[in-house]
Amino acid sequence: MSENAYDYVIVGAGMAGDAAAKGIREVDADGTICLVGREPTPPVTRPALSKKLWTDPDFAFDDVWLGTEEQTGATLLLGESVVGLDPAGRTVTTDAGRTLTYGSLLVATSGTPGGPDVDDPAGTGLVVRFRTVDDYSFLRERTRDGGHAVVVGGSYIATELAAALVQNGVGTDLVHAEERLLGAVFPPVLVDRLESRFTQAGVRLVPGTTVEGGSVEGLDGPVRLELSGDRTHEADVVVAGFGITLETGFAADAGLETSEDGGVVVDERLRTSDPHVWAAGDVAQYPDQVLGRRRVEHVDHATESGRQAGRNMAGAGEPYTHTPYYYSVLFEDRYEAVGTLDASLETVEDWQGEDDPQDKGVVYYVERESDEAQDVQVRGVLLWNVDGARDAARHAIASGAVRADALPGRIG
Ligand SMILES: Cc1cc2nc3c(=O)[nH]c(=O)nc-3n(C[C@H](O)[C@H](O)[C@H](O)COP(=O)(O)OP(=O)(O)OC[C@H]3O[C@@H](n4cnc5c(N)ncnc54)[C@H](O)[C@@H]3O)c2cc1C
């Protein structure tokens, strides 16, 4: 093969890309693998960037690397983006003008995080759209001596970052559009608990508020924010924990089937509408056996679907049967979830804490056929400080209609 021809090309050197390279190696010991990644750094375990690196003194910076190159022998082309795909010729082109030929291709590009619209003509980077290891390093350096940060957004990543910053002596405001913190996700008793825990830790919550604009003075700051309701606010650094816009334009332009939200549509083997192209991680819109067709922007899915796609690129031909969970950590509380967590659904709450009921418990998010119906269908399960119950949560969703009063006591 020529220098730029590989048996396997992986677009996106992130968590799914890393898992795919390792999955390929489980089946094919010798095939050549190339990962192309926009970030200048090799794949990292992203959850640590907003949690352990800030809160676990035993977790060192060097623990973030996933060891892709060392463990698989893959070639990493970093700081380079794929901008074009030719499925007929089985090539991709990069923004560095390189053309790579592939036998099998994986799309694992996730997306670009959004953030508030703040003028930064000097390119200070003081509004951090947090996603990468470089974002972590910048924020860490910027807040080394404390200072004052504004975290913007109501996502779980925004809440994790606010908790991380305040626990490291940084004055922290959390500006979010919702009236209650994580109110769209959790039932009111948990929202109460979280709001008081954040406030007690010193985070100033600024609910029901959006950032309408702003500007950065210069490298020394401050960042001036214009908030809804004609308010203004200043900070040394602003951290955005918004959602992402998927990076799948090159796949759609090449004619791969995509979903309305820009996901790359795959079958149960994670293969796209082109037989030589697979997709995994955040971008893959796949048929989940329990939850139905969906995209999942979480780490368990990234590693499991990445590994399965890698195995299948190497010929394993196996269906992806894993129903993923996700997790987060906020101060002392750790939660895991399977399925749909939507506070507008009815909930059945099974609190099991001894001192405070909400120290531990299970929340079932359910739907009823009618108001009078006794039976409910479980759509999502929240495991609040409950370990080892993910399979039981999957089972509760998969096992069809059940009496609502039979749910408490089932898990825990
Ligand atoms: C700070 C943070 C904390 C998180 N914490 C949790 C958690 O606690 N629990 C949980 O379940 N999930 C968590 N997640 C989500 C989880 O990390 C992601 O779902 C997972 O990383 C997705 O894997 P991926 O490979 O699809 O995307 P990524 O890991 O984001 O990798 C995609 C890579 O593709 C690159 N790329 C994009 N476009 C191109 C292109 N055209 N060419 C080349 N490269 C490209 C990107 O730069 C990126 O490096 C967290 C995410 C972040 C950012």
Side-chain angles (χ1 to χ4, degrees), residues 11 36-38 79-84 93-96:
V11 188
V36 189
R38 175 173 297 166
E80 208 162 319
S81 295
V82 164
V83 290
T93 47
T94 75
D95 56 358

Side-chain angles (χ1 to χ4, degrees), residues 1 30 35 151 172 205 257 274 298:
M1 279 196 180
D30 305 314
L35 280 86
V151 179
T172 306
L205 299 176
E257 188 186 349
D274 181 283
H298 291 292

Side-chain angles (χ1 to χ4, degrees), residues 202-282:
V203 177
R204 194 169 77 94
L205 299 176
V206 189
T209 302
T210 51
V211 177
E212 306 290 322
S215 59
V216 186
E217 293 282 300
L219 256 182
D220 293 331
V223 185
R224 290 187 209 286
L225 294 177
E226 292 155 20
L227 304 182
S228 53
D230 283 335
R231 287 168 291 165
T232 55
H233 205 71
E234 285 192 0
D236 298 317
V237 66
V238 171
V239 194
F242 285 27
I244 52 172
T245 305
L246 295 180
E247 286 284 345
T248 50
F250 70 90
D253 290 348
L256 297 189
E257 188 186 349
T258 51
S259 55
E260 255 178 36
D261 65 353
V264 178
V265 175
V266 293
D267 64 16
E268 70 281 2
R269 289 179 167 70
L270 301 169
R271 199 194 291 248
T272 70
S273 53
D274 181 283
H276 301 288
V277 184
W278 278 257
D282 291 351

